[in-house]
C-alpha cells in the first residue's frame, strides 16, 4: 500500500485524469451554450426571426412582460429587438473605428517618434489603461462627461426640439462612443506597438538603405507586415466593446431609443441601449418567465456574435499568411 | 584550390594567347552555372573589361567610433566607377562598419560617431539628405531580405516610396523589368510578377534584392557579404552578375572569402582591427603583398 | 536596444551635424501622418494623466484609514458615513475563490494539451474552448451562472427561499464564474511556458528513466512557476475589475451577509458586495447619491489594479520562460 503511494502514478492514468480535467473546459462551454439556448428558446419560438426586426418601443414591451404570470400566453413574448441591435452596432462600430485610427497613430508615435524617456513611461501607462475596470470608466463618464455634454454642449433649443420624444441629458451616443473608444484603444495600442517592434529589423534596414525616410518605411513595410496583428487587435476591441454591459448601462442613456441620423446634430446626443446593457438593466426582473426568456435571447445573440467575430478574424488572417511564408 | 594555385593559373592565363570574350547574360537563356574551370579562367576577364571611370567615392582619414571603441581608424581610399573594390579581413576588423559608413547606415546605431570625410562626387555625404544619399549609394545585405510583398512591389519599392507622387504601375513596369533583366531573374519569374517574394529560393531572393537596389540607377552599390548565406551555384551566379553590373556602377563588396575577392575584385583593401593595412590592385595584394600581416592573412595563417 | 533613431539626424558628431531627411522632401500625406501621430501621442499622454490625476484628487478627498477599515453604515446621511471594509473583503473573497478554482483546472488542462494532447482533435477542441471562454462577454457568463446555479442541484451553494426557489446568487456562485475569467490567462501563460521549454530537457529526463508524470512534476512544473504566477496575476486583474458578474450573481447586499450560522460556509453561501459593485451602487446609476464614496472606492480599485500590473511587470522581468500576456485581459 505504502509502495503504491510512493510510486508516481502510471502515465496512462495521469493522462486520463488530466485529459478529463481539460475536457471539462469544453464541457463548460457546451453547457453554457445549452443553458442559454434552452432558456432563450420560448422567445424565438413565439417571435420567429422577426424578433430581430423593428416595431414598437423595447422598454414598453419589456415592461409589459414583467407583469405576466408564471405561464404567460404567447403574445406576452412579443418583442422587437432591432433598437438594441442597432445600438450595439452603432456604438461598437464607431468605437472600434475611431479606436483603430487612434491606436495606429499612437503606436506609430510610440515606436517611431517618442523620445526615449517618454517611450519608457508610455508603455506601462498604456497597459494600465487597458486594465482599468470598466466601472471606473463608467463612473467618470456619468459624473464628468455626461453632465458636461448635457449642460454645456447641448443647447437649450436642441433639447426643446425633441422634448416630446426623448430627454437629452447628456447620456447618449456621443458619451457612450467616447468612453467606449477610450476603453478599447489601449489594448489595440499595446498590441500594435508590440507588433511594430517585432517586425524583423532586416526589413526596416533594407527599406532605410534604399533611401526611404523612416516614417515611410514604417507605413510601407511594417504596417503591411503586421496586418494580421492589426486584424487581431480590431477583433479584440470588437469583442470587448460588444460585451461591455456595465459601463454602457451607466452612460448610454435611460431609454432604448434608436438614434436617427436624419435628426441632424441631435443624433449625437440621443440615448441608446445595447444588448449587453439591456441584460444588466433587466437582471432583477428575471423571475417573470417572459422577461427571462427575452434576456437569455439577448445573451444568445451576444454569444453568436462573439463566435462570429473569432471565426471571421481567423478567416481574414488566412489569405494574409501567403505573404509571410517563413517570416511572421 | 588555394590562393597560390589560383595565382599560378591566372599568370598562365595572362600569358595565354587568347583571352576568352566577356560573357554576357543572354536574355533567352537562364543563367548558367559556371563550371569551375571557366571560373578560374574568368580571372583573366578583368583585363578585357571596362576602363575605370570617374572617381565616385573618396574617403579621407575616415574613422568610426562606437562609444569608446574605435571600429575604424584612419582609412583613406578611392572608389571609381567601373571598378570592384573588395574589403577583406578577419571578423571584427571593421570592414562592415566601413561599408555601412558609406551610406550612413551607421547612424542607426546610437552612439556612433564618424570622423574624416567621405565625398560622393565631391559632396560630403553628411551634408546630403540621407534619403537622397541612399538613393545614390545602394546596399545589399548578407541575408536576403525581400519585403513581404510581391516581386513587382519589391523591385518597385524604392521608385514608389522615394517619389513625391506615387507613380502608377504602368510607369514603373519598364523600369522594374529592366532591373530584373539586368540581374538575370526575369526569365525565372516573368510568368507571375505578383507572386510573393518570400517564396523564391535563397539565390533568387538575393538577386531580387540586387534588382531592388539597382532599379534607381545608383552610382555606388555596396554589398555586405552577399553570398555568404547562399549555396555555391547561386554564389557563382551572383559573382557573374557583379561582373556584369560593374559597367555603370562602382561596387564595394565586403567578403571573408579570399577566393571570391580574387575572382571579382579589381582593387582590394585589407583591414585588420580597424586599420587599413594594405590597399592595392588585386594581383599585387595577393601575390606580392607589402605588409607582413597581409602576407599572413592571404596565406591563411589566420582567418 | 533602440535600433532606430527617434528623430533622424539629431546625433552629436565630430564636425557638422549630419543632415537627416527634411520634412520638406516628404510626401504631403506623410507630413499629415507625422503631425497626426504626434497629436495622438500627446493626446494619449494627456488623457491618461488627466484620468489618473482626476481619480486621485477626487478619491483622496473621502479616503482615510478609518474609511478603509470600517464597515458600511446605514444612516441618514449616506454621503458621509461608513467605510468600505465589506466591499474590500468581498473583493478579496471572490478573487480567492476564483483563483483557487481556476488555477488547478487551467494548469492541468495546459499540461495535458502540451504534454499529451491525444487525440489531436480533442486538444484543439480544448484550446478552442479556452479561447471561447476568453472571448465570451462577462455578462453572458454571469447569466449562464445564474441559469446553472438556480438548478435545484446546486441549492446548497446559495440561499433557498421558503417557496423552494433557489436564489442562485452567493459568493460561491460568483467566485465559480469568476474562475472562468481567470482560466484563460493561466492556461495561456502555462501553455506558452511549457512550449518554450526546449525538448531536450524532457528527453534528458526520459533518458534517466523518469516517467512522464514524474518529469512533469519534478522538471516542467517548477520551470513554469513564473508563468503560473504571471497568469494568475493577470487573472486576478480581470476578476478584480469585473462588475457584471458581481451585479448579477452576488445578490445586492451592501454588507457581507452570511447565510447560515456556520462561519465559513455561511459566508460563502451568503451575499455581499465588492469594490466594483460598491462603485456602481454609489454612482447615479445605482441607488446612491454619494459620488465621493464612489470616487474613493474607484481610487482604491485603481491602486489595486496598478499594483497588480506592476507585479506582472516585475515578474516578467525576472524572467518567465515565454513572453507574458501583454495586457490585463488574459489574452
Amino acid at each position: 500500500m505504502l509502495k503504491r503511494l510512493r510510486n508516481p502514478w502510471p502515465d496512462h492514468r495521469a493522462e486520463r485524469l488530466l485529459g478529463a480535467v481539460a475536457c471539462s473546459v469544453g464541457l463548460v462551454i457546451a453547457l453554457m451554450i445549452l443553458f442559454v439556448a434552452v432558456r432563450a428558446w420560448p422567445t424565438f419560438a413565439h417571435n420567429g426571426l422577426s424578433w430581430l426586426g423593428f416595431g414598437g418601443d423595447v422598454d414598453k414591451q419589456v415592461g409589459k412582460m414583467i407583469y405576466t404570470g408564471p405561464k404567460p400566453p404567447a403574445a406576452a413574448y412579443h418583442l422587437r429587438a432591432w433598437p438594441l441591435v442597432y445600438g450595439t452596432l452603432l456604438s461598437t462600430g464607431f468605437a472600434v473605428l475611431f479606436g483603430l485610427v487612434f491606436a495606429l497613430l499612437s503606436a506609430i508615435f510610440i515606436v517611431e517618434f517618442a523620445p526615449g524617456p517618454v517611450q519608457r513611461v508610455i508603455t506601462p501607462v498604456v497597459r494600465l489603461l487597458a486594465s482599468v475596470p470598466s466601472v471606473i470608466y463608467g463612473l467618470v463618464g456619468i459624473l464628468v462627461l455626461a453632465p458636461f455634454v448635457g449642460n454645456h454642449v447641448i443647447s437649450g433649443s436642441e433639447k426643446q426640439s425633441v422634448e416630446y420624444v426623448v430627454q437629452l441629458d447628456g447620456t447618449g451616443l456621443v458619451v457612450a462612443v467616447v468612453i467606449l473608444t477610450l476603453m478599447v484603444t489601449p489594448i489595440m495600442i499595446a498590441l500594435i506597438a508590440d507588433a511594430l517592434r517585432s517586425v524583423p529589423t532586416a526589413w526596416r534596414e533594407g527599406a532605410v538603405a534604399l533611401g526611404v525616410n523612416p516614417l515611410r518605411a514604417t507605413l510601407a513595410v511594417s504596417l503591411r507586415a503586421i496586418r494580421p496583428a492589426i486584424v487581431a487587435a480590431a477583433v479584440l476591441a470588437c469583442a470587448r466593446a460588444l460585451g461591455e454591459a456595465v459601463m454602457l448601462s451607466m452612460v448610454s442613456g435611460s431609454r432604448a431609443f434608436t438614434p436617427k441620423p436624419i435628426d441632424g446634430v441631435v443624433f449625437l446626443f440621443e440615448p441608446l441601449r445595447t444588448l449587453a446593457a439591456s441584460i444588466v438593466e433587466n437582471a432583477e426582473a428575471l423571475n417573470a418567465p417572459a422577461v427571462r426568456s427575452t434576456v437569455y435571447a439577448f445573451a444568445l445573440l451576444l454569444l453568436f456574435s462573439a463566435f462570429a467575430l473569432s471565426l471571421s478574424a481567423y478567416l481574414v488572417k488566412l489569405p494574409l499568411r501567403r505573404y509571410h511564408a517563413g517570416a511572421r | 584550390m588555394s590562393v597560390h594555385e589560383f595565382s599560378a593559373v591566372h599568370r598562365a592565363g595572362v600569358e595565354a594567347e587568347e583571352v576568352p570574350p566577356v560573357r554576357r547574360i543572354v536574355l533567352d537563356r537562364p543563367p548558367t552555372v559556371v563550371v569551375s574551370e571557366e571560373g578560374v579562367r574568368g580571372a583573366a576577364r578583368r583585363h578585357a573589361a571596362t576602363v575605370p571611370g570617374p572617381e565616385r567615392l573618396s574617403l579621407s582619414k575616415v574613422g568610426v567610433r562606437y562609444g569608446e571603441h574605435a571600429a575604424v581608424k584612419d582609412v583613406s581610399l578611392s572608389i571609381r566607377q567601373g571598378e570592384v573594390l573588395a574589403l577583406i579581413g578577419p571578423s571584427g576588423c571593421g570592414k562592415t562598419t566601413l561599408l555601412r559608413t558609406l551610406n550612413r547606415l551607421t547612424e542607426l546605431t546610437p552612439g556612433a560617431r564618424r570622423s574624416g570625410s567621405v565625398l560622393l562626387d565631391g559632396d560630403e555625404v553628411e551634408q546630403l539628405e540621407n534619403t537622397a544619399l541612399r538613393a545614390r549609394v545602394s546596399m545589399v545585405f548578407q541575408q536576403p531580405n525581400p519585403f513581404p510583398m510581391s516581386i513587382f512591389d519589391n523591385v518597385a519599392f524604392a521608385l514608389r516610396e522615394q517619389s513625391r507622387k506615387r507613380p502608377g504601375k504602368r510607369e514603373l513596369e519598364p523600369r522594374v523589368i529592366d532591373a530584373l533583366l539586368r540581374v538575370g531573374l526575369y526569365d525565372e519569374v516573368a510568368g507571375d510578377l505578383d507572386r510573393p517574394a518570400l517564396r523564391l529560393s535563397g539565390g533568387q531572393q538575393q538577386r531580387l534584392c540586387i534588382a531592388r537596389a539597382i532599379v534607381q540607377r545608383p552610382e555606388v552599390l555596396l554589398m555586405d557579404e552577399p553570398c555568404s548565406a547562399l549555396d555555391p551555384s547561386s554564389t557563382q551566379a551572383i559573382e557573374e552578375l557583379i561582373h556584369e553590373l560593374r559597367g555603370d556602377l562602382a561596387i564595394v563588396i565586403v567578403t571573408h572569402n579570399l577566393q571570391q575577392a580574387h575572382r571579382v575584385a579589381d582593387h582590394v583593401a585589407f583591414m585588420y582591427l580597424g586599420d587599413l593595412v594594405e590597399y592595392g590592385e588585386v594581383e599585387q595584394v595577393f601575390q606580392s603583398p607589402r605588409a607582413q600581416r597581409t602576407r599572413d592573412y592571404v596565406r591563411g595563417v589566420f582567418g | 536596444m533602440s535600433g532606430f533613431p527617434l528623430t533622424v539626424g539629431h546625433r552629436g558628431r565630430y564636425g557638422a551635424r549630419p543632415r537627416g531627411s527634411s520634412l520638406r522632401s516628404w510626401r504631403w500625406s506623410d507630413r499629415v501622418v507625422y503631425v497626426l501621430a504626434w497629436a495622438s501621442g500627446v493626446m494619449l499622454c494627456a488623457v491618461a494623466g488627466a484620468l489618473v490625476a482626476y481619480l486621485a484628487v477626487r478619491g483622496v478627498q473621502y479616503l482615510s484609514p478609518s474609511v478603509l477599515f470600517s464597515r458600511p453604515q446605514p444612516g441618514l446621511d449616506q454621503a458621509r458615513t461608513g467605510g468600505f471594509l465589506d466591499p474590500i473583503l468581498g473583493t478579496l473573497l471572490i478573487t480567492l475563490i476564483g483563483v483557487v478554482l481556476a488555477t488547478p483546472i487551467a494548469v492541468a488542462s495546459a499540461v495535458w494539451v502540451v504534454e499529451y494532447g491525444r487525440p489531436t482533435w480533442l486538444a484543439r477542441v480544448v484550446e478552442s474552448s479556452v479561447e471561447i471562454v476568453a472571448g465570451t462577454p462577462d455578462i453572458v457568463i454571469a447569466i449562464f451562472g445564474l441559469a446553472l446555479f438556480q438548478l435545484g442541484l446546486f441549492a446548497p451553494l446559495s440561499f433557498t427561499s421558503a417557496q423552494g426557489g433557489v436564489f442562485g446568487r452567493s459568493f460561491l456562485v460568483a467566485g465559480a464564474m469568476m474562475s472562468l475569467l481567470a482560466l484563460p490567462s493561466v492556461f495561456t501563460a502555462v501553455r506558452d511556458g511549457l512550449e518554450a521549454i526546449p525538448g531536450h530537457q524532457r528527453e534528458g529526463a526520459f533518458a534517466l528513466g523518469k516517467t512522464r508524470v514524474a518529469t512533469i512534476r519534478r522538471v516542467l512544473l517548477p520551470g513554469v512557476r513564473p508563468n503560473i504566477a504571471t497568469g494568475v496575476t493577470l487573472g486576478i486583474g480581470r476578476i478584480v475589475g469585473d462588475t457584471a458578474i458581481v451585479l448579477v450573481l452576488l445578490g445586492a447586499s451592501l454588507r457581507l451577509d452570511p447565510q447560515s450560522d456556520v462561519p465559513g460556509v455561511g459566508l460563502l453561501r451568503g451575499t455581499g458586495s465588492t469594490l466594483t459593485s460598491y462603485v456602481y451602487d454609489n454612482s447615479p446609476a445605482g441607488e446612491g447619491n454619494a459620488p465621493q464614496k464612489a470616487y474613493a472606492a474607484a481610487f482604491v480599485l485603481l491602486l489595486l489594479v496598478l499594483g497588480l500590473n506592476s507585479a506582472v511587470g516585475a515578474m516578467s522581468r525576472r524572467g518567465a520562460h515565454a513572453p507574458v500576456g501583454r495586457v490585463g485581459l488574459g489574452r
Side-chain angles (χ1 to χ4, degrees):
Chain A
M1 175 75 167
L2 269 174
K3 195 163 153 225
R4 273 191 65 195
L5 278 177
R6 251 189 252 128
N7 282 343
W9 284 24
D11 265 344
H12 58 264
R13 208 188 298 164
E15 178 174 358
R16 256 185 241 139
L17 179 68
L18 290 177
V21 171
C23 291
S24 67
V25 179
L27 188 67
V28 167
I29 297 291
L31 279 181
M32 181 163 68
I33 303 177
L34 189 68
F35 270 76
V36 172
V38 160
R39 291 213 172 179
W41 173 246
T43 299
F44 290 114
H46 291 122
N47 280 303
L49 273 180
S50 58
W51 184 78
L52 287 169
F54 48 81
D57 186 335
V58 172
D59 285 333
K60 290 210 191 82
Q61 289 163 349
V62 173
K64 268 194 238 150
M65 283 185 205
I66 298 184
Y67 298 108
T68 58
K71 284 225 185 301
Y77 288 95
H78 175 84
L79 187 83
R80 292 289 174 263
W82 172 248
L84 303 177
V85 175
Y86 176 66
T88 311
L89 289 175
L90 208 58
S91 54
T92 307
F94 277 145
V96 172
L97 194 64
F98 292 151
L100 195 58
V101 167
F102 193 66
L104 278 171
L105 289 172
S106 302
I108 292 178
F109 171 77
I110 292 176
V111 174
E112 293 288 325
F113 303 132
V118 173
Q119 220 181 34
R120 276 190 291 273
V121 167
I122 272 196
T123 319
V125 163
V126 165
R127 279 197 207 134
L128 175 69
L129 281 181
S131 30
V132 166
S134 49
V135 73
I136 295 187
Y137 283 119
L139 189 70
V140 170
I142 201 174
L143 284 179
V144 178
L145 208 54
F148 173 74
V149 168
N151 297 330
H152 299 283
V153 179
I154 314 180
S155 66
S157 60
E158 282 167 346
K159 285 190 204 175
Q160 276 185 332
S161 68
V162 287
E163 205 169 34
Y164 297 112
V165 184
V166 71
Q167 298 293 332
L168 294 182
D169 60 355
T171 57
L173 181 61
V174 84
V175 173
V177 167
V178 163
I179 306 246
L180 203 54
T181 310
L182 192 57
M183 271 180 60
V184 299
T185 308
I187 314 162
M188 291 201 276
I189 295 181
L191 274 176
I192 296 178
D194 275 349
L196 277 177
R197 281 195 203 107
S198 57
V199 170
T201 32
W203 287 340
R204 286 250 2 190
E205 258 197 345
V208 170
L210 286 174
V212 171
N213 68 62
L215 177 62
R216 195 100 279 284
T218 305
L219 294 179
V221 179
S222 302
L223 277 192
R224 271 192 84 134
I226 63 171
R227 275 181 300 179
I230 297 182
V231 168
V235 166
L236 200 54
C238 262
R240 178 120 198 236
L242 208 61
E244 184 45 52
V246 171
M247 186 278 289
L248 280 179
S249 78
M250 287 164 97
V251 303
S252 63
S254 43
R255 286 188 48 183
F257 187 74
T258 325
K260 299 181 195 44
I262 54 175
D263 288 342
V265 180
V266 179
F267 162 66
L268 295 175
F269 306 121
E270 289 166 354
L272 65 114
R273 173 104 42 85
T274 64
L275 285 168
S278 313
I279 301 182
V280 169
E281 299 273 331
N282 295 311
E284 293 104 35
L286 281 180
N287 296 319
V291 177
R292 183 169 67 209
S293 172
T294 308
V295 166
Y296 278 95
F298 296 156
L300 192 63
L301 199 54
L302 277 179
L303 210 52
F304 275 155
S305 318
F307 287 171
L309 264 181
S310 312
L311 191 63
S312 58
Y314 176 71
L315 290 177
V316 166
K317 279 205 244 182
L318 272 182
L320 292 177
R321 292 226 183 116
R322 64 194 282 257
Y323 283 101
H324 292 256
R328 280 202 75 211
Chain B
M1 267 206 167
S2 80
V3 175
H4 301 286
E5 293 167 272
F6 260 125
S7 314
V9 175
H10 163 72
R11 241 177 285 132
V14 165
E15 287 155 12
E17 283 180 71
E18 257 190 25
V19 175
V22 176
R23 297 191 67 241
R24 298 204 177 282
I25 296 178
V26 183
L27 286 187
D28 56 4
R29 269 194 287 136
T32 52
V33 174
V34 178
V35 177
S36 52
E37 288 168 0
E38 277 199 347
V40 165
R41 232 175 270 127
R45 284 187 253 137
R46 270 197 297 283
H47 299 281
T50 54
V51 176
E55 181 181 70
R56 286 290 180 198
L57 271 177
S58 158
L59 284 73
S60 170
K61 294 195 174 33
V62 172
V64 180
R65 310 175 69 87
Y66 287 123
E68 284 316 308
H69 167 67
V72 173
K73 304 173 210 156
D74 200 17
V75 171
S76 299
L77 287 177
S78 160
I79 301 166
R80 314 182 96 83
Q81 179 182 332
E83 279 190 349
V84 178
L85 168 68
L87 297 178
I88 60 174
S91 26
C93 67
K95 50 191 198 287
T96 305
T97 310
L98 182 64
L99 191 78
R100 290 165 71 100
T101 306
L102 299 180
N103 69 349
R104 282 170 60 191
L105 224 55
T106 41
E107 277 174 21
L108 297 180
T109 319
R113 291 156 172 264
R114 196 206 80 189
S115 57
S117 76
V118 177
L119 300 178
L120 174 68
D121 289 341
D123 300 318
E124 162 62 54
V125 301
E126 280 198 353
Q127 299 306 320
L128 299 169
E129 274 196 36
N130 55 10
T131 46
L133 167 70
R134 290 167 188 152
R136 294 162 68 184
V137 179
S138 284
M139 189 158 182
V140 173
F141 295 86
Q142 190 171 349
Q143 284 287 345
N145 56 356
F147 301 134
M149 310 167 187
S150 67
I151 296 175
F152 186 90
D153 287 335
N154 259 285
V155 182
F157 182 77
L159 297 174
R160 277 201 181 118
E161 308 301 338
Q162 268 247 325
S163 60
R164 299 201 72 158
K165 205 170 105 68
R166 203 184 164 90
K169 192 154 178 174
R170 224 166 311 175
E171 273 178 67
L172 295 169
E173 210 169 341
R175 298 181 68 174
V176 167
I177 296 184
D178 172 68
L180 286 172
L181 284 172
R182 286 167 73 199
V183 301
L185 198 55
Y186 187 66
D187 324 318
E188 292 168 46
V189 300
D192 184 10
L193 286 181
D194 289 326
R195 223 188 318 159
L198 290 166
R199 294 251 181 92
L200 298 174
S201 75
Q204 289 174 320
Q205 285 186 5
Q206 190 66 304
R207 276 184 282 155
L208 179 66
C209 293
I210 298 179
R212 188 175 68 185
I214 63 173
V215 74
Q216 284 181 304
R217 303 259 163 196
E219 295 163 15
V220 181
L221 180 63
L222 307 176
M223 306 181 100
D224 185 1
E225 301 196 38
C227 305
S228 60
L230 303 177
D231 58 88
S233 52
S234 313
T235 303
Q236 217 141 20
I238 292 195
E239 286 177 9
E240 286 213 353
L241 187 54
I242 294 178
H243 183 77
E244 266 304 304
L245 291 175
R246 49 195 269 196
D248 335 296
L249 296 171
I251 300 183
V252 182
I253 176 169
V254 165
T255 176
H256 61 263
N257 183 337
L258 289 172
Q259 287 93 321
Q260 182 174 76
H262 190 89
R263 283 193 293 267
V264 300
D266 300 314
H267 285 80
V268 168
F270 169 60
M271 294 188 65
Y272 184 73
L273 290 184
D275 289 304
L276 176 63
V277 175
E278 183 148 356
Y279 167 67
E281 297 198 5
V282 58
E283 287 320 313
Q284 177 259 303
V285 172
F286 274 101
Q287 288 171 46
S288 37
R290 288 190 290 266
Q292 176 62 35
R293 190 152 286 157
T294 321
R295 244 191 298 259
D296 290 340
Y297 184 69
V298 155
R299 244 186 302 194
V301 168
F302 64 99
Chain C
M1 196 228 56
S2 145
F4 292 91
L6 315 159
T7 42
V8 182
H10 290 250
R11 215 155 284 295
R13 291 209 174 185
Y14 306 134
R17 187 178 279 198
R19 265 185 79 188
S21 164
S22 81
L23 236 57
R24 254 173 284 127
S25 70
W26 289 19
R27 272 189 213 169
W28 175 84
S29 59
D30 286 352
R31 280 183 252 177
V32 168
V33 171
Y34 180 74
V35 168
L36 285 181
W38 266 96
S40 297
V42 168
M43 213 181 348
L44 177 69
C45 300
V47 166
L51 187 66
V52 174
Y54 186 74
L55 281 175
V57 163
R58 294 298 295 259
V60 168
Q61 281 173 358
Y62 189 72
L63 207 56
S64 69
S66 69
V67 156
L68 278 178
F69 292 110
S70 65
R71 315 196 61 184
Q73 311 287 344
L76 284 176
D77 190 5
Q78 261 303 310
R80 301 242 173 273
T81 56
F84 33 79
L85 179 65
D86 283 53
I88 293 181
L89 289 179
T91 305
L92 288 176
L93 184 59
I94 213 177
T95 310
L96 193 65
I97 301 176
V99 166
V100 161
L101 285 176
T103 311
I105 300 181
V107 172
S109 309
V111 165
W112 181 79
V113 164
V114 177
E115 299 300 320
Y116 298 99
R118 287 183 308 218
T120 8
W121 63 266
L122 196 56
R124 227 171 291 154
V125 162
V126 170
E127 284 193 313
S128 309
S129 305
V130 174
E131 275 204 27
I132 291 178
V133 171
T136 308
D138 44 7
I139 187 75
V140 173
I141 294 183
I143 286 285
F144 163 57
L146 199 60
L148 185 66
F149 289 105
Q150 273 180 340
L151 294 179
L153 176 64
F154 292 107
L157 291 182
S158 66
F159 167 68
T160 311
S161 74
Q163 293 90 358
V166 179
F167 194 38
R169 301 169 173 83
S170 69
F171 271 109
L172 267 181
V173 169
M177 288 297 116
M178 288 294 195
S179 69
L180 283 182
L181 288 187
L183 185 81
S185 318
V186 185
F187 178 87
T188 321
V190 174
R191 185 196 59 191
D192 291 344
L194 282 175
E195 277 174 0
I197 298 183
H200 56 75
Q201 285 198 17
R202 295 180 181 83
E203 286 162 19
F206 295 154
L208 287 174
K210 284 186 168 292
T211 64
R212 215 181 195 120
V213 176
T215 319
I216 294 174
R217 270 178 61 202
R218 301 255 178 250
V219 177
L220 299 178
L221 277 186
V224 295
R225 239 185 265 146
N227 297 78
I228 299 182
T230 330
V232 165
T233 316
L234 285 173
I236 294 180
R238 258 196 103 174
I239 294 179
V240 157
D242 181 83
T243 321
I245 295 184
V246 173
L247 284 182
V248 172
L249 288 180
L250 201 51
S253 57
L254 193 55
R255 299 167 136 222
L256 298 180
D257 192 10
Q259 279 307 318
S260 80
D261 295 322
V262 182
V265 174
L267 188 59
L268 291 177
R269 287 182 66 205
T271 59
S273 64
T274 65
L275 274 175
T276 44
S277 72
Y278 186 81
V279 172
Y280 182 81
D281 286 332
N282 278 308
S283 73
E287 66 251 0
N289 47 6
Q292 320 88 299
K293 286 187 179 173
Y295 275 122
F299 182 55
V300 172
L301 197 54
L302 190 65
L303 288 181
L304 194 54
V305 165
L306 183 60
L308 286 170
N309 259 27
S310 323
V312 169
M315 277 190 261
S316 62
R317 262 194 302 275
R318 240 183 291 143
H321 274 289
V324 148
R326 297 176 193 110
V327 290
L329 277 193
R331 281 211 162 231

